[in-house]
Amino acid sequence: MIDSLFLINHSGDIFLEKHWKSVISRSVCDYFFEAKEKAVDPENVAPVLQTPHHYLISIYRDKIFFLSAIQTEVPPLFVIEFLHRVGDTFLDYFGECSETVIKDNVVIVYELLEEMLDNGFPLATESNVLKEMIKPPNILRSVVNTLTGGSNVGNTLPTGQLSNVPWRRAGVKYTNNEAYFDVIEEIDAILDKSGTTVFAEIQGVIEACVRLTGMPDLTLSFMNPRLLDDVSFHPCVRFKRWESERVLSFIPPDGNFTLMSYQVSSQNLVAIPVYVKQNISFLEAGSCGRLDITIGPKQTMGKTVEGLMVTVHMPKAVLTVNLTATQGTHTYDLATKVLVWDIGKLNPQKLPNLRGSLSMQPGAPKPEEYPSLNIDLKIQQLAISGLKVSRLDMYGEKYKPFKGVKYLTKAGKFQVRT
Amino acid sequence: MKEETRPCVIPGCFSARRHDDLKEMLDSNKDSLKLEAMKRIVAMIARGKNASDLFPAVVKNVACKNIEVKKLVYVYLVRYAEEQQDLALLSISTFQRGLKDPNQLIRASALRVLSSIRVTIIVPIMMLAIKEAASDMSPYVRKTAAHAIPKLYSLDPEQKDQLIEVIEKLLADKTTLVAGSVVMAFEEVCPERIDLIHKNYRKLCNLLIDVEEWGQVVIINMLTRYARTQFLNPNINVSRVQNWVYSLFRAVSLPIEQSHDAALIYTAIRKILICCLTHVHVSCFSEVQYVVLQNVATMTIKRRGMFEPYLKSFYIRSTDPTQIKILKLEVLTNLANETNISTILREFQTYIKSMDKDFVAATIQAIGRCATNIGEVRDTCLNGLVQLLSNRDELVVAESVVVIKKLLQMQPEKHSDIIKHMAKLTDNIQVPMARASILWLIGEYCEHVPKIAPDVLRKMAKSFTNEEDIVKLQIINLAAKLYLTNSKQTKLLTQYVLNLAKYDQNYDIRDRARFIRQLIVPTEKSGALSKYAKKLFLALKPAPVLESPFKDRDHFQLGSLSHLLNAKAGGYQELPDWPEAAPDPSVRNVEVKESVRAVGTVTYRDTGALWGLQGPQKMEGSEGCSFRRTIAPSSALKSYELLHRITGEGLSVEYCFSRQPFIPDANMVAVQVHFTNNSTSDTKSLHMEDVKLQSGMRVKEFPEIELLPAGETATAVMGIDFCDSTQTANFQLCTHTRKFFVSIQPPVGELMRPFFMTENEFKKEQGQLMGMNEITEKLTLDVKCRNEHAIVQKVTTAANLSRVPCGSDKECRFAGRTVTSSSLVLVTVATKDQGAAQLTVNCEKMVIGTMLVKDILLALTQ
């Protein structure tokens, strides 16, 4: 299925190549470079390219292109998903997924790739299984290994690979048994000029951090499970029980994982936590414009809005800005024309305001378009959809674990049109 | 790149010296030095540098004890063995030893490397190794064997027949670990051998949920094709999309093999839809969005209704990458109809102001398409586009001109003022495509603008030499048309333009000029054609149809690479059309041993987890208490006892209603009889005798079982026509020594077979079975069966009925026909709050109706 993989950095150097079938010359990447050149922006390179003998499927993440060469029909999503899994695995092993880190750990990377794919078909992709076959690097082990000539490679088959619970390894032990769940919701919204909601939706995930001894069997139930429309689960969740009782019953993987993700549909009314009053204008005569933005709380359910930030992609013609903010700091990147206003905590008594003038390139015509505002915010201890966890029960083990649930609301793709 | 080529230019001397230190390290006795050297070599390979000259030094270490060194040597071998076949042979014996290692990981990796070094000479060794590994104890090794099959096949296609044997063997494997890989091998080696799947079809469906995600994709693909060849088209009228989903759903979910349930199809479509939508949103990866949107775009062309409620999900954000914006725009355009067009156009208005010019151009085209498709808004769109003509950005203006040209062609007479307006634009607009479009418009409709047209030609004649080629061609065109309609004013101008064109650098233009001159300017030599010049040039041209570029994509399977590229990719397999006649369904029947604990309704995931806790070994060890049964398409079949083993002196007999059509006689109910010989001696000549029946009833006896050895089991099928009554069929079961009186009494639910009908048909039929034929009962549902799924489950277990699709979720409907008289049996369960429900049964046969009510009532309240 997947014949070869090339890792290419931002400037177009191939810094790693791996072939699972016959070697494909790296000149095949030239077609990709051509497309990349044309697209200007790396995000705009088409993920699937056709060349005379191969198909190239690529993803772009963490400033690296993961480019795979394919020879026969294969569902493109299959490949894209796999490439992202490779990226995730690097992230998991090395804490980041960057060119330097991959170059530094090239041997482990190679061993991983060898294990993840066999003849182009995925072999072992569960992080649990991989970690038992190839140990992640850490300083202590590398010191010990250099002294003793020991190795990073396990010599027995990981238990997870064969068991019916492939996501959990056997013999987990902790002195402190704890299970934490974070309910994180993101508001995706488009507001129009007058502040009316054009489109709003809530995307939620439950991130779990479970460190429990043995083989615990957990049941998580909600106060109001009916809110959740479209759900997708980690493979460990028993779907039948969700369907019949609306509870999440599962044997958790060890460590951090995403238990479920859900969507609260656009049919329900979505609370919008802030309102934005803005006025951006460019004067016809003279080369300047005016900007005035005020943000205030709307439906915050009595919680404080934190980490408030406004990002504006200004038109090319805007040279510099001369603004004053009543709260927070603002920066304007002259090269990318991005204005960032970092507000911080929203004080309902004294609304933050940013106003001033924009100086334009002399002689340039008045920009046709008005930039839209991207809002970023955080609200602690609140799931904006109203979702609440009612209880967590554990079966199968004797001890009493620490349990905790945290809620967080964030702005996802929250955009105000002007 | 430069560095890399160097060793090739001066082979041997230079590079050899450079790698001397590595060779030394590899030859040393210390594992740590070897490891260090191997790490450096692998790093070279990773960077794409040539390390092939180290081959002899590396291959020596293949037998190294240190497992990490060994692994890295394997990596090296796989990379270079193809280039150095002779030297690679040195390592083979190590792998052969590895294949016998007690550690399964080592066996597996030996096989992996052996099958990955593409050296033709070792094909027989590989074949042998694969065959051996296919029957290995460890599922992990068997999985590796499955992976090795396509490798060997690509190396030597001659081995196909032998490989198919291995595939057949591995297909029968029951572990989830192997399933995905062997189906992948099947798809690559012998996708045409669909007959290999029959026996494993149901098992694969059951395993599917537990197979890892990559395997699931491959299995679903294969099952989709399988469903397309093995099942009848559920509904001739449904579109391809629905068909595709249906094939998929039929493939994965067994229950509908019995009930042709359209509602389930819609649920499936909805599920897929939601998947798509969530992907469009949640996925922060634009690549995933890209692929999903491509597929959505195709689906929206034929099935607009499915996506209409989610219109807003496709609204565009200014931060989306351009390619995503354009795809979303495509979807929005496809979704536009009379009711939502105003919202969509309002959205488009905001998009036109975007900074992204390519996107703006695409938006203008989209407006054009909306205008052609929806007559009501044509004028609004046209006005909007004309306003755009005064936009400052030239690209926007140009694109608008092109689109307006297309729109005007539909009704030119109404819009001469727009044409005039556009004529004025020729002074300013520079984009060649737009200029060409304006000129064409003026030429085509010159009679609407008789005063302006010659003037435009005059201006154009002036600037002719500086124009782009497409503009020049249109100038010639305009001149020709004006010459034909208004030769008095334009004769000289046309001559002038044609003269200019005659000496143009572009031969296409020269050619056109010559051709047109011959046609329109009458000379003594000019042929018969010039008479028709007017007809040729001023013929009525059909208005262009603005179509979606995704229009013709749906002949490729959704989600495939071919679909995305709109070109057949290598190895793409067409989804066959539904068969005309249903192939024999009995090919899928298999006899399997199954543990008693595996209750049909529990999914494998749940039980799997339980087994994981208890240790998997228990599963295999419990054959003693296992019983045989056919895997039923729906839930577990209920077995009844015919003869207890104490009364039967060691012979125990059970029977169940298999719910499959009894092939020899359609009016009979199939009864599957299951014999177990628990005694120590053989039982011979098992057969039926002395059948005592009520009048009208008939029995087709099972064929005599000549020998049932001690401890063995056997199964036979008999048919009984119960005449739509629950009367017992009495007969004697004879062995070579004894006779036992036994009787079979059917539950009323088994006297019917599922019947497929639509909601409307159901209502119509129900209307005709009122009064005496209708029985209604109020009941309180058991706590466990208060959802739709549980109700369906309970009712279909109690009676052999099929579900009828239904619009409301408060009602479940089922239909069937009695086996003998084919009378309709209609069942409705309407649920209310707090578990209250009402059960209605409509049936011509009142006795059957009454009894059925009782049975279903019992099933739902317990």
Side-chain angles (χ1 to χ4, degrees):
Chain A
M1 293 201 153
I2 298 167
D3 287 30
S4 298
L5 174 73
F6 299 94
L7 299 188
I8 300 167
N9 68 12
H10 200 63
S11 53
D13 298 323
I14 306 170
F15 64 91
L16 188 128
E17 60 177 76
K18 169 91 183 110
H19 308 275
W20 284 276
K21 295 184 184 175
S22 287
V23 177
I24 294 175
S25 156
R26 53 165 68 187
S27 61
V28 75
C29 298
D30 293 350
Y31 295 97
F32 172 77
F33 292 136
E34 212 171 277
K36 181 171 165 259
E37 204 81 344
K38 228 182 271 169
V40 189
D41 201 8
E43 279 190 326
N44 270 326
V45 183
V48 183
L49 294 171
Q50 194 173 6
T51 77
H53 301 290
H54 301 92
Y55 304 99
L56 303 178
I57 300 185
S58 63
I59 62 162
Y60 179 68
R61 62 179 277 174
D62 305 309
K63 299 212 169 91
I64 301 172
F65 288 101
F66 290 69
L67 177 79
S68 60
I70 313 275
Q71 270 176 326
T72 53
E73 167 70 44
V74 54
L77 272 183
F78 183 99
V79 181
I80 290 172
E81 197 65 43
F82 177 80
L83 294 178
H84 275 299
R85 190 67 67 87
V86 173
D88 290 342
T89 310
F90 291 166
L91 200 66
D92 193 28
Y93 261 73
F94 313 123
E96 60 171 323
C97 176
S98 68
E99 187 186 348
T100 358
V101 127
I102 293 174
K103 277 183 171 168
D104 287 350
N105 295 291
V106 69
V107 175
I108 294 186
V109 166
Y110 229 68
E111 283 169 343
L112 279 173
L113 290 176
E114 185 73 34
E115 219 46 68
M116 289 179 85
L117 218 55
D118 180 19
N119 193 33
F121 191 78
L123 188 65
T125 50
E126 277 284 338
S127 128
N128 247 316
V129 172
L130 280 173
K131 278 194 175 157
E132 280 184 68
M133 293 213 249
I134 299 149
K135 306 232 167 44
N138 70 35
I139 296 169
L140 183 70
R141 189 171 312 117
S142 58
V143 170
V144 172
N145 281 353
T146 19
L147 292 177
T148 60
S151 73
N152 278 332
V153 180
N155 60 356
T156 48
L157 193 63
T159 47
Q161 181 80 45
L162 292 176
S163 82
N164 278 309
V165 196
W167 55 86
R168 192 176 177 89
R169 59 195 167 91
V172 184
K173 269 210 178 89
Y174 288 104
T175 38
N176 291 328
N177 288 295
E178 40 192 29
Y180 298 116
F181 295 88
D182 291 359
V183 180
I184 302 167
E185 294 194 340
E186 290 194 354
I187 310 169
D188 281 356
I190 303 177
L191 305 185
D192 74 1
K193 210 178 202 162
S194 58
T196 21
T197 313
V198 178
F199 164 80
E201 205 171 52
I202 297 171
Q203 309 287 348
V205 287
I206 300 185
E207 298 280 358
C209 173
V210 179
R211 300 175 190 284
L212 297 175
T213 307
M215 267 292 175
D217 196 336
L218 302 180
T219 308
L220 184 76
S221 47
F222 298 101
M223 307 271 259
N224 38 10
R226 302 244 161 251
L227 275 175
L228 310 174
D229 254 10
D230 308 330
V231 284
S232 68
F233 297 116
H234 187 275
C236 68
V237 176
R238 297 181 183 113
F239 188 62
K240 272 275 148 64
R241 284 207 61 192
W242 169 256
E243 275 205 319
S244 59
E245 299 164 55
R246 298 267 150 185
V247 295
L248 298 179
S249 155
F250 56 98
I251 295 175
D254 188 37
N256 297 317
F257 63 99
T258 306
L259 180 62
M260 73 181 283
S261 58
Y262 59 90
Q263 190 178 338
V264 177
S265 73
S266 45
Q267 266 74 25
N268 293 1
L269 273 183
V270 174
I272 303 291
V274 293
Y275 69 85
V276 181
K277 267 195 208 154
Q278 41 73 29
N279 185 17
I280 301 176
S281 57
F282 302 107
L283 298 182
E284 191 71 57
S287 49
C288 69
R290 296 207 56 78
L291 177 142
D292 188 338
I293 306 172
T294 311
I295 297 189
K298 203 172 169 188
Q299 292 155 295
T300 58
M301 323 279 171
K303 302 276 201 269
T304 349
V305 179
E306 296 168 23
L308 199 56
M309 185 142 82
V310 180
T311 314
V312 191
H313 291 258
M314 286 291 179
K316 294 249 157 34
V318 177
L319 280 185
T320 52
V321 296
N322 182 16
L323 303 167
T324 42
T326 58
Q327 187 188 339
T329 54
H330 65 89
T331 51
Y332 182 63
D333 188 328
L334 296 174
T336 55
K337 311 277 178 196
V338 176
L339 171 70
V340 179
W341 177 27
D342 190 347
I343 304 168
K345 204 176 267 180
L346 179 66
N347 180 1
Q349 267 75 49
K350 198 169 156 290
L351 300 182
N353 169 275
L354 178 74
R355 75 169 74 187
S357 61
L358 312 168
S359 63
M360 319 276 291
Q361 202 175 343
K366 176 187 160 196
E368 290 274 335
E369 71 276 355
Y370 292 99
S372 52
L373 315 178
N374 294 302
I375 312 277
D376 205 6
L377 56 86
K378 253 186 222 161
I379 306 173
Q380 303 280 1
Q381 290 313 317
L382 171 74
I384 198 100
S385 68
L387 185 76
K388 277 222 161 68
V389 173
S390 75
R391 56 183 299 153
L392 175 75
D393 299 304
M394 187 181 77
Y395 305 97
E397 295 289 336
K398 293 260 157 50
Y399 56 84
K400 268 216 144 74
F402 294 106
K403 299 179 273 195
V405 180
K406 224 167 63 181
Y407 300 93
L408 177 66
T409 297
K410 291 198 283 193
K413 297 170 186 160
F414 194 106
Q415 203 161 74
V416 183
R417 288 176 178 168
T418 57
Chain B
M1 284 299 260
K2 275 172 221 146
E3 241 185 305
E4 206 189 314
T5 47
R6 205 181 289 150
C8 308
V9 178
I10 322 164
C13 68
F14 190 84
S15 55
R17 209 179 313 142
R18 202 175 51 167
H19 291 149
D20 271 351
D21 53 334
L22 285 175
K23 280 185 185 155
E24 240 166 65
M25 286 162 88
L26 286 169
D27 288 339
S28 83
N29 296 325
K30 279 193 189 147
D31 277 355
S32 56
L33 277 179
K34 284 183 180 174
L35 187 60
E36 187 52 39
M38 279 318 297
K39 280 186 173 170
R40 279 170 57 188
I41 294 169
V42 167
M44 280 167 64
I45 298 175
R47 281 199 304 271
K49 294 192 176 161
N50 193 350
S52 57
D53 53 328
L54 286 164
F55 202 97
V58 173
V59 82
K60 268 186 276 182
N61 288 302
V62 73
C64 178
K65 286 276 178 319
N66 183 311
I67 198 133
E68 190 164 16
V69 173
K70 202 175 197 160
K71 277 234 153 162
L72 296 178
V73 172
Y74 285 180
V75 168
Y76 183 91
L77 270 178
V78 171
R79 172 67 178 76
Y80 287 112
E82 202 172 5
E83 295 171 21
Q84 314 230 358
Q85 305 225 348
D86 293 341
L87 281 170
L89 292 179
L90 294 176
S91 60
I92 302 299
S93 61
T94 320
F95 299 131
Q96 283 178 307
R97 221 174 308 134
L99 288 169
K100 302 259 173 346
D101 198 280
N103 183 336
Q104 48 181 342
L105 192 63
I106 292 178
R107 286 204 300 278
S109 69
L111 178 62
R112 268 179 70 189
V113 180
L114 184 69
S115 55
S116 298
I117 50 176
R118 292 160 290 271
V119 178
T120 343
I121 273 188
I122 59 159
V123 163
I125 301 178
M126 267 162 86
M127 193 68 228
L128 215 65
I130 291 176
K131 277 185 177 163
E132 214 157 278
S135 42
D136 197 283
M137 289 276 285
S138 152
Y140 184 69
V141 178
R142 295 203 296 273
K143 186 188 178 75
T144 321
H147 277 262
I149 292 170
K151 293 188 216 169
L152 180 53
Y153 179 64
S154 70
L155 194 63
D156 182 10
E158 305 243 305
Q159 305 291 324
K160 186 171 176 176
D161 292 337
Q162 288 195 61
L163 286 174
I164 290 178
E165 279 171 34
V166 184
I167 290 177
E168 193 171 1
K169 183 172 184 184
L170 285 172
L171 274 173
D173 205 296
K174 286 190 187 63
T175 46
T176 49
L177 203 60
V178 184
S181 305
V182 66
V183 171
M184 184 269 304
F186 169 84
E187 289 281 87
E188 280 198 27
V189 177
C190 54
E192 72 285 351
R193 288 290 304 274
I194 211 98
D195 56 298
L196 296 180
I197 302 300
H198 291 324
K199 288 270 174 258
N200 302 297
Y201 167 75
R202 289 181 179 143
K203 183 198 70 197
L204 284 173
C205 291
N206 278 330
L207 288 182
L208 188 58
I209 190 166
D210 276 336
V211 174
E212 85 283 357
E213 57 272 50
W214 318 108
Q216 280 178 345
V217 174
V218 183
I219 296 180
I220 288 179
N221 259 338
M222 187 275 291
L223 289 181
T224 313
R225 254 182 338 111
Y226 182 83
R228 271 299 184 90
T229 54
Q230 298 301 317
F231 302 115
L232 279 186
N233 188 346
N235 184 349
I236 307 298
N237 297 325
V238 289
S239 77
R240 283 188 82 98
V241 177
Q242 226 169 333
N243 258 337
W244 168 74
V245 175
Y246 188 79
S247 345
L248 169 76
F249 205 66
R250 267 201 108 149
V252 292
S253 150
L254 279 160
I256 30 177
E257 201 190 328
Q258 274 211 326
S259 57
H260 293 257
D261 192 334
L264 284 174
I265 308 173
Y266 289 109
T267 355
I269 294 178
R270 221 186 94 77
K271 288 235 165 94
I272 289 171
L273 253 180
I274 289 163
C275 282
C276 294
L277 293 169
T278 354
H279 267 109
V280 171
H281 276 298
V282 175
S283 172
C284 37
F285 304 131
S286 70
E287 301 88 11
V288 178
Q289 280 193 2
Y290 177 81
V291 176
V292 171
L293 282 169
Q294 294 253 3
N295 285 301
V296 171
T298 310
M299 284 193 263
T300 44
I301 287 172
K302 288 256 170 81
R303 301 265 109 192
R304 184 193 286 156
M306 301 199 304
F307 287 92
E308 244 172 44
Y310 306 98
L311 183 73
K312 286 189 174 170
S313 305
F314 300 102
Y315 279 8
I316 293 156
R317 291 185 172 78
S318 59
T319 40
D320 287 331
T322 311
Q323 49 182 355
I324 301 293
K325 282 182 188 162
I326 289 173
L327 281 171
K328 281 187 175 176
L329 201 61
E330 175 67 38
V331 173
L332 285 174
T333 317
N334 287 342
L335 288 179
N337 62 13
E338 282 81 358
T339 49
N340 59 21
I341 184 69
S342 55
T343 353
I344 291 184
L345 282 181
R346 211 174 313 129
E347 240 340 87
F348 282 178
Q349 265 167 17
T350 27
Y351 299 162
I352 285 174
K353 292 185 199 136
S354 163
M355 296 181 220
D356 187 339
K357 290 303 161 216
D358 294 332
F359 169 54
V360 173
T363 310
I364 294 169
Q365 283 177 6
I367 294 175
R369 260 177 58 200
C370 288
T372 40
N373 297 339
I374 302 159
E376 285 91 333
V377 293
R378 196 166 296 154
D379 288 344
T380 333
C381 288
L382 207 50
N383 286 337
L385 289 171
V386 170
Q387 273 170 25
L388 283 181
L389 291 179
S390 48
N391 194 297
R392 206 172 296 117
D393 192 280
E394 197 174 64
L395 269 170
V396 175
V397 179
E399 200 65 43
S400 318
V401 167
V402 176
V403 173
I404 290 175
K405 176 204 136 195
K406 288 179 184 164
L407 287 181
L408 283 185
Q409 252 184 295
M410 292 179 181
Q411 33 191 186
E413 58 290 340
K414 275 163 68 185
H415 298 292
S416 53
D417 49 330
I418 296 181
I419 300 176
K420 275 179 206 151
H421 182 93
M422 287 172 74
K424 281 182 206 142
L425 281 174
T426 45
D427 295 341
N428 302 318
I429 194 160
Q430 292 306 323
V431 179
M433 188 62 208
R435 286 178 80 86
S437 293
I438 296 175
L439 291 176
W440 184 88
L441 262 182
I442 295 171
E444 188 66 21
Y445 307 115
C446 49
E447 66 269 34
H448 297 295
V449 282
K451 293 205 176 115
I452 294 174
D455 194 48
V456 171
L457 182 63
R458 181 183 60 83
K459 284 186 199 156
M460 286 297 139
K462 238 193 214 166
S463 62
F464 186 87
T465 44
N466 299 325
E467 298 289 352
E468 285 276 334
D469 290 348
I470 47 166
V471 185
K472 283 179 180 166
L473 286 175
Q474 286 308 329
I475 296 174
I476 300 173
N477 236 338
L478 172 67
K481 284 172 183 168
L482 283 177
Y483 185 90
L484 289 171
T485 52
N486 184 2
S487 60
K488 207 189 269 171
Q489 273 185 306
T490 55
K491 192 171 178 186
L492 287 172
L493 267 175
T494 310
Q495 296 281 5
Y496 176 66
V497 167
L498 288 175
N499 279 337
L500 282 178
K502 191 174 171 185
Y503 299 106
D504 198 89
Q505 285 190 325
N506 187 307
Y507 54 78
D508 206 14
I509 292 167
R510 294 198 301 273
D511 181 55
R512 179 74 62 91
R514 224 166 276 140
F515 155 70
I516 282 179
R517 190 192 294 271
Q518 283 302 318
L519 261 179
I520 60 170
V521 186
T523 55
E524 62 276 17
K525 266 198 281 174
S526 64
L529 271 179
S530 57
K531 263 185 272 171
Y532 302 106
K534 228 175 182 166
K535 275 190 184 161
L536 279 174
F537 278 98
L538 299 174
L540 205 61
K541 280 126 189 135
V545 188
L546 299 179
E547 276 185 338
S548 163
F550 287 87
K551 188 135 191 114
D552 54 347
R553 287 224 185 158
D554 64 341
H555 58 270
F556 290 115
Q557 201 176 343
L558 283 172
S560 65
L561 183 63
S562 309
H563 170 265
L564 192 78
L565 299 165
N566 200 15
K568 200 166 169 180
Y572 173 76
Q573 291 174 22
E574 294 269 354
L575 205 54
D577 271 330
W578 296 100
E580 296 279 312
D584 182 14
S586 63
V587 288
R588 283 181 291 282
N589 292 348
V590 263
E591 304 277 320
V592 287
K593 293 195 174 171
E594 206 171 335
S595 163
V596 187
R597 272 174 294 140
V599 186
T601 49
V602 188
T603 71
Y604 273 69
R605 160 128 301 145
D606 298 359
T607 47
L610 278 175
W611 284 331
L613 287 170
Q614 294 161 350
Q617 70 281 6
K618 281 197 185 170
M619 237 188 92
E620 276 126 35
S622 57
E623 266 175 37
C625 59
S626 71
F627 64 90
R628 269 185 180 203
R629 62 179 176 79
T630 315
I631 288 193
S634 57
S635 55
L637 291 176
K638 207 172 161 188
S639 281
Y640 304 87
E641 191 172 81
L642 194 62
L643 187 63
H644 192 265
R645 76 185 156 96
I646 304 205
T647 39
E649 293 175 348
L651 179 70
S652 74
V653 184
E654 284 177 322
Y655 68 96
C656 65
F657 296 90
S658 62
R659 295 195 170 180
Q660 269 147 6
F662 189 65
I663 308 295
D665 188 339
N667 283 344
M668 289 189 175
V669 179
V671 182
Q672 194 167 323
V673 193
H674 190 78
F675 306 93
T676 313
N677 187 355
N678 297 314
S679 68
T680 46
S681 58
D682 296 356
T683 306
K684 285 179 198 147
S685 79
L686 258 169
H687 64 280
M688 284 167 68
E689 253 183 40
D690 195 14
V691 185
K692 286 200 187 111
L693 297 169
Q694 305 288 331
S695 64
M697 281 170 71
R698 291 174 301 138
V699 163
K700 173 95 175 108
E701 300 167 1
F702 61 81
E704 181 173 340
I705 296 170
E706 299 198 343
L707 178 71
L708 185 63
E712 289 289 340
T713 57
T715 306
V717 180
M718 61 189 285
I720 306 176
D721 182 357
F722 287 102
C723 271
D724 292 351
S725 71
T726 51
Q727 289 156 341
T728 50
N730 302 308
F731 57 87
Q732 286 182 9
L733 200 62
C734 308
T735 67
H736 62 298
T737 51
R738 289 222 36 187
K739 291 181 178 180
F740 306 100
F741 284 95
V742 291
S743 61
I744 292 180
Q745 182 173 30
V748 65
E750 302 296 343
L751 295 176
M752 47 203 72
R753 55 188 146 80
F755 182 64
F756 179 69
M757 52 169 58
T758 64
E759 192 175 3
N760 284 338
E761 287 168 3
F762 185 95
K763 281 183 178 156
K764 202 177 122 207
E765 293 291 349
Q766 199 178 23
Q768 290 173 355
L769 290 169
M770 302 298 273
M772 295 278 283
N773 293 327
E774 186 177 81
I775 304 159
T776 307
E777 235 8 304
K778 283 207 166 56
L779 67 150
T780 313
L781 292 173
D782 182 40
V783 191
K784 275 186 212 135
C785 57
R786 284 195 181 163
N787 60 39
E788 204 192 349
H789 179 79
I791 293 174
V792 174
Q793 178 88 37
K794 293 274 182 194
V795 175
T796 47
T797 315
N800 192 8
L801 297 171
S802 74
R803 178 132 190 244
V804 174
C806 172
S808 101
D809 56 354
K810 293 266 177 216
E811 275 193 317
C812 297
R813 302 197 175 115
F814 307 87
R817 279 183 185 281
T818 58
V819 173
T820 310
S821 61
S822 284
S823 321
L824 269 181
V825 182
L826 308 175
V827 177
T828 317
V829 182
T831 51
K832 298 189 182 103
D833 289 338
Q834 262 130 36
Q838 181 173 322
L839 170 71
T840 314
V841 173
N842 303 68
C843 180
E844 219 178 308
K845 305 231 165 196
M846 285 183 326
V847 185
I848 295 226
T850 328
M851 290 167 80
L852 193 61
V853 166
K854 248 187 240 164
D855 281 6
I856 295 179
L857 216 54
L858 205 66
L860 287 177
T861 49
Q862 270 183 0

